[in-house]
Amino acid sequence: MGTDKKPGSIVHLGAGALSGVTSCVLLQPFDLVKTRLQQTQLQTHARGMGTIANTVQSIVSSSGVRGLWRGTLPSLIRNAPGTSLYFYFLNHTKHMCLATERRLTNDATRTRLSPTSNMVIGASSRAVAGFLLMPGTILKVQFESSLYKHAGIVGAVRNIWRSSGVRGFFVGAVPTAIRDAPYAGLYLLLYEAIKHQERTIAKQRNMLVPETAVTMVAGVAAGLAASYITQPFDMVKTRMQLRPREYTSVAQSFAKIYSEETIRGFFRGISLRVLRKGVQASLVFTLYEWVLRSTSSREESSPAKLRA
């Protein structure tokens, strides 16, 4: 980002909320099917797209097409404020890190963060936002699963509280952090690097590339790569949150999945997660940066451009 005059914190919160709500509603079916696939052990006779198709067919036959959007409300409760807080923390930590780098390098004109700083601020911002919204994550996963039949949000909160107390709202917090922090760190590093490379190539070839196209391509590519690398932690998180009596800790969950399902067990639902994360990341960051550019263009005489 540039550093002269920035949209206020409310704009960052609003832009994050808008992008979070949009991506959540559009992509909920991917999350639902992924959760259904991950809640059970890997069966040797049911793999790949056949399993996905069977899962979708089962959901539609029992609940209709609307069933694919089961869990949308708890997803919104978690993702709208979660994305909003993430971008809020991201914006503030970016400014802090950039100010620090300027002092360390004695370069007051520096406008780009180092790759290490991008990774650190992405990971820390996601970890903090993820922990604060962990109760929403628990509700989201349980509503998407067929293992629970909660009678609404209030009923779900009551059931979790009665069975596990406060701890029940934070089950799987460690694997979630282990998944989200590296994912967000890798994502932001790759996202900024790819954007910079796209702009460099466009400038060398004297091409005019719309900023929206730049952010979309960078978002998809970074999201796909980061999702694949962190997939095993997503599997562990889901098993711990849906079957806490069987999967009691991170180490035990990794050992149990590996011994019973081999390495392939960690990648159950990988195609859905990679596709969803790639599209979601692209959509979220494109909408977020578009809102910031639109706001800046109204407030300043010249548009404030986000830089790689």
Side-chain angles (χ1 to χ4, degrees):
M1 292 183 181
T3 58
D4 297 320
K5 186 175 181 180
K6 298 295 176 186
S9 298
I10 297 300
V11 175
H12 286 278
L13 288 168
L18 174 63
S19 59
V21 168
T22 303
S23 63
C24 177
V25 174
L26 292 177
L27 302 175
Q28 177 61 22
F30 290 93
D31 243 7
L32 177 70
V33 177
K34 176 185 74 72
T35 298
R36 293 291 177 89
L37 287 173
Q38 290 184 340
Q39 72 182 19
T40 56
Q41 294 179 327
L42 181 66
Q43 302 297 318
T44 57
H45 64 276
R47 298 175 178 172
M49 293 305 295
T51 304
I52 295 175
N54 292 340
T55 302
V56 172
Q57 184 178 16
S58 175
I59 295 170
V60 173
S61 63
S62 63
S63 307
V65 175
R66 290 183 59 188
L68 293 172
W69 272 267
R70 175 180 168 80
T72 299
L73 180 57
S75 291
L76 287 172
I77 292 174
R78 188 253 181 243
N79 287 339
T83 307
S84 185
L85 286 174
Y86 167 66
F87 280 117
Y88 175 81
F89 292 136
L90 190 68
N91 174 57
H92 282 272
T93 51
K94 267 191 173 185
H95 289 306
M96 293 171 58
C97 285
L98 186 56
T100 301
E101 288 190 0
R102 283 175 170 175
R103 288 195 298 270
L104 293 175
T105 59
N106 197 26
D107 180 8
T109 62
R110 188 183 185 97
T111 58
R112 292 185 62 220
L113 287 170
S114 66
T116 301
S117 291
N118 277 322
M119 178 173 285
V120 170
I121 65 175
S124 59
S125 298
R126 178 60 71 186
V128 173
F131 180 77
L132 292 176
L133 273 299
M134 181 54 61
T137 300
I138 297 294
L139 290 173
K140 170 183 175 297
V141 171
Q142 291 195 4
F143 266 88
E144 290 171 351
S145 172
S146 61
L147 301 178
Y148 296 84
K149 300 296 181 183
H150 294 304
I153 299 295
V154 176
V157 171
R158 186 183 298 114
N159 291 339
I160 295 172
W161 176 264
R162 286 175 177 173
S163 63
S164 307
V166 175
R167 185 179 180 279
F169 294 99
F170 291 89
V171 172
V174 173
T176 298
I178 295 175
R179 177 201 67 174
D180 286 352
Y183 169 83
L186 285 169
Y187 175 84
L188 193 61
L189 183 152
L190 294 171
Y191 176 74
E192 296 291 351
I194 294 170
K195 279 201 307 179
H196 179 66
Q197 190 63 29
E198 286 182 87
R199 290 166 178 161
T200 299
I201 293 174
K203 185 176 181 180
Q204 291 175 345
R205 299 184 179 182
N206 197 28
M207 297 170 57
L208 182 61
V209 181
E211 187 65 16
T212 299
V214 172
T215 55
M216 288 188 69
V217 171
V220 169
L224 291 176
S227 298
Y228 205 93
I229 293 171
T230 57
Q231 169 64 18
F233 297 102
D234 185 64
M235 170 61 77
V236 170
K237 174 200 76 77
T238 301
R239 290 287 177 86
M240 288 184 67
Q241 291 175 342
L242 292 180
R243 297 157 67 181
R245 294 182 180 178
E246 297 177 52
Y247 298 86
T248 57
S249 70
V250 176
Q252 182 267 347
S253 298
F254 266 104
K256 181 176 175 63
I257 293 172
Y258 181 77
S259 65
E260 296 179 353
E261 305 171 55
T262 72
I263 193 68
R264 292 188 70 255
F266 293 105
F267 292 89
R268 188 163 172 77
I270 179 64
S271 58
L272 288 167
R273 180 170 184 259
V274 167
L275 179 60
R276 178 189 178 278
K277 280 290 188 180
V279 175
Q280 179 192 38
S282 176
L283 180 61
V284 165
F285 270 76
T286 297
L287 277 173
Y288 171 74
E289 296 197 2
W290 174 79
V291 171
L292 296 190
R293 289 196 302 272
S294 299
T295 302
S296 295
S297 66
R298 288 195 300 269
E299 295 179 348
E300 302 177 7
S301 55
S302 60
K305 299 295 183 180
L306 293 178
R307 300 184 181 180

mmCIF file of all heavy atoms in Angstrom, residues 82 85 89 126-137 170:
data_model
loop_
_atom_site.group_PDB
_atom_site.id
_atom_site.type_symbol
_atom_site.label_atom_id
_atom_site.label_comp_id
_atom_site.label_asym_id
_atom_site.label_seq_id
_atom_site.Cartn_x
_atom_site.Cartn_y
_atom_site.Cartn_z
ATOM 1 N N GLY A 82 -14.873 -11.862 10.868
ATOM 2 C CA GLY A 82 -13.525 -12.412 10.787
ATOM 3 C C GLY A 82 -12.707 -11.769 9.683
ATOM 4 O O GLY A 82 -11.555 -11.370 9.897
ATOM 5 N N LEU A 85 -12.060 -8.044 10.643
ATOM 6 C CA LEU A 85 -10.987 -7.898 11.619
ATOM 7 C C LEU A 85 -9.625 -8.210 11.005
ATOM 8 O O LEU A 85 -8.620 -7.547 11.309
ATOM 9 C CB LEU A 85 -11.229 -8.824 12.818
ATOM 10 C CG LEU A 85 -12.323 -8.403 13.797
ATOM 11 C CD1 LEU A 85 -12.545 -9.500 14.835
ATOM 12 C CD2 LEU A 85 -11.942 -7.098 14.492
ATOM 13 N N PHE A 89 -6.561 -5.581 11.115
ATOM 14 C CA PHE A 89 -5.248 -5.865 11.692
ATOM 15 C C PHE A 89 -4.159 -5.802 10.614
ATOM 16 O O PHE A 89 -3.054 -5.305 10.860
ATOM 17 C CB PHE A 89 -5.230 -7.249 12.354
ATOM 18 C CG PHE A 89 -6.091 -7.353 13.578
ATOM 19 C CD1 PHE A 89 -6.914 -8.448 13.786
ATOM 20 C CD2 PHE A 89 -6.084 -6.348 14.540
ATOM 21 C CE1 PHE A 89 -7.705 -8.548 14.924
ATOM 22 C CE2 PHE A 89 -6.871 -6.431 15.683
ATOM 23 C CZ PHE A 89 -7.686 -7.539 15.874
ATOM 24 N N ARG A 126 -4.054 -13.040 10.705
ATOM 25 C CA ARG A 126 -5.003 -14.145 10.598
ATOM 26 C C ARG A 126 -5.108 -14.911 11.907
ATOM 27 O O ARG A 126 -6.214 -15.331 12.301
ATOM 28 C CB ARG A 126 -4.567 -15.097 9.481
ATOM 29 C CG ARG A 126 -5.470 -16.320 9.306
ATOM 30 C CD ARG A 126 -6.880 -15.928 8.976
ATOM 31 N NE ARG A 126 -6.977 -15.392 7.635
ATOM 32 C CZ ARG A 126 -8.077 -14.853 7.113
ATOM 33 N NH1 ARG A 126 -9.171 -14.754 7.863
ATOM 34 N NH2 ARG A 126 -8.089 -14.375 5.897
ATOM 35 N N ALA A 127 -3.991 -15.097 12.599
ATOM 36 C CA ALA A 127 -4.013 -15.844 13.856
ATOM 37 C C ALA A 127 -4.858 -15.126 14.908
ATOM 38 O O ALA A 127 -5.662 -15.749 15.604
ATOM 39 C CB ALA A 127 -2.587 -16.042 14.372
ATOM 40 N N VAL A 128 -4.688 -13.820 15.012
ATOM 41 C CA VAL A 128 -5.448 -13.048 16.006
ATOM 42 C C VAL A 128 -6.939 -13.054 15.666
ATOM 43 O O VAL A 128 -7.792 -13.328 16.521
ATOM 44 C CB VAL A 128 -4.933 -11.598 16.082
ATOM 45 C CG1 VAL A 128 -5.840 -10.753 16.982
ATOM 46 C CG2 VAL A 128 -3.507 -11.574 16.612
ATOM 47 N N ALA A 129 -7.266 -12.748 14.405
ATOM 48 C CA ALA A 129 -8.669 -12.719 13.995
ATOM 49 C C ALA A 129 -9.307 -14.097 14.137
ATOM 50 O O ALA A 129 -10.452 -14.226 14.578
ATOM 51 C CB ALA A 129 -8.780 -12.223 12.554
ATOM 52 N N GLY A 130 -8.554 -15.134 13.776
ATOM 53 C CA GLY A 130 -9.085 -16.493 13.864
ATOM 54 C C GLY A 130 -9.389 -16.913 15.281
ATOM 55 O O GLY A 130 -10.414 -17.550 15.549
ATOM 56 N N PHE A 131 -8.515 -16.555 16.225
ATOM 57 C CA PHE A 131 -8.745 -16.924 17.624
ATOM 58 C C PHE A 131 -9.961 -16.207 18.190
ATOM 59 O O PHE A 131 -10.781 -16.801 18.890
ATOM 60 C CB PHE A 131 -7.513 -16.598 18.474
ATOM 61 C CG PHE A 131 -7.679 -16.953 19.922
ATOM 62 C CD1 PHE A 131 -7.568 -18.271 20.334
ATOM 63 C CD2 PHE A 131 -7.978 -15.974 20.861
ATOM 64 C CE1 PHE A 131 -7.743 -18.607 21.677
ATOM 65 C CE2 PHE A 131 -8.149 -16.303 22.200
ATOM 66 C CZ PHE A 131 -8.040 -17.627 22.610
ATOM 67 N N LEU A 132 -10.101 -14.925 17.876
ATOM 68 C CA LEU A 132 -11.232 -14.154 18.385
ATOM 69 C C LEU A 132 -12.561 -14.694 17.865
ATOM 70 O O LEU A 132 -13.578 -14.628 18.560
ATOM 71 C CB LEU A 132 -11.087 -12.680 17.983
ATOM 72 C CG LEU A 132 -9.933 -11.904 18.633
ATOM 73 C CD1 LEU A 132 -9.865 -10.488 18.073
ATOM 74 C CD2 LEU A 132 -10.087 -11.873 20.153
ATOM 75 N N LEU A 133 -12.548 -15.238 16.651
ATOM 76 C CA LEU A 133 -13.786 -15.745 16.045
ATOM 77 C C LEU A 133 -13.903 -17.262 16.129
ATOM 78 O O LEU A 133 -14.752 -17.849 15.441
ATOM 79 C CB LEU A 133 -13.855 -15.300 14.585
ATOM 80 C CG LEU A 133 -14.477 -13.919 14.285
ATOM 81 C CD1 LEU A 133 -15.924 -13.885 14.751
ATOM 82 C CD2 LEU A 133 -13.684 -12.803 14.911
ATOM 83 N N MET A 134 -13.105 -17.909 16.974
ATOM 84 C CA MET A 134 -13.141 -19.367 17.085
ATOM 85 C C MET A 134 -14.526 -19.916 17.427
ATOM 86 O O MET A 134 -14.953 -20.929 16.846
ATOM 87 C CB MET A 134 -12.121 -19.839 18.118
ATOM 88 C CG MET A 134 -12.060 -21.353 18.307
ATOM 89 S SD MET A 134 -11.789 -22.255 16.760
ATOM 90 C CE MET A 134 -10.213 -21.572 16.276
ATOM 91 N N PRO A 135 -15.300 -19.300 18.351
ATOM 92 C CA PRO A 135 -16.650 -19.819 18.603
ATOM 93 C C PRO A 135 -17.506 -19.865 17.336
ATOM 94 O O PRO A 135 -18.293 -20.795 17.135
ATOM 95 C CB PRO A 135 -17.215 -18.827 19.628
ATOM 96 C CG PRO A 135 -16.010 -18.335 20.358
ATOM 97 C CD PRO A 135 -14.953 -18.208 19.292
ATOM 98 N N GLY A 136 -17.350 -18.864 16.481
ATOM 99 C CA GLY A 136 -18.091 -18.867 15.222
ATOM 100 C C GLY A 136 -17.648 -19.992 14.315
ATOM 101 O O GLY A 136 -18.459 -20.575 13.578
ATOM 102 N N THR A 137 -16.361 -20.326 14.353
ATOM 103 C CA THR A 137 -15.845 -21.432 13.545
ATOM 104 C C THR A 137 -16.447 -22.754 14.005
ATOM 105 O O THR A 137 -16.815 -23.607 13.184
ATOM 106 C CB THR A 137 -14.308 -21.499 13.654
ATOM 107 O OG1 THR A 137 -13.745 -20.265 13.190
ATOM 108 C CG2 THR A 137 -13.758 -22.645 12.812
ATOM 109 N N PHE A 170 -13.716 -23.527 21.809
ATOM 110 C CA PHE A 170 -12.343 -23.318 21.344
ATOM 111 C C PHE A 170 -11.642 -24.633 21.005
ATOM 112 O O PHE A 170 -10.426 -24.679 20.909
ATOM 113 C CB PHE A 170 -11.538 -22.550 22.397
ATOM 114 C CG PHE A 170 -11.983 -21.121 22.549
ATOM 115 C CD1 PHE A 170 -12.995 -20.795 23.448
ATOM 116 C CD2 PHE A 170 -11.432 -20.115 21.773
ATOM 117 C CE1 PHE A 170 -13.438 -19.474 23.571
ATOM 118 C CE2 PHE A 170 -11.867 -18.797 21.887
ATOM 119 C CZ PHE A 170 -12.874 -18.479 22.795
#
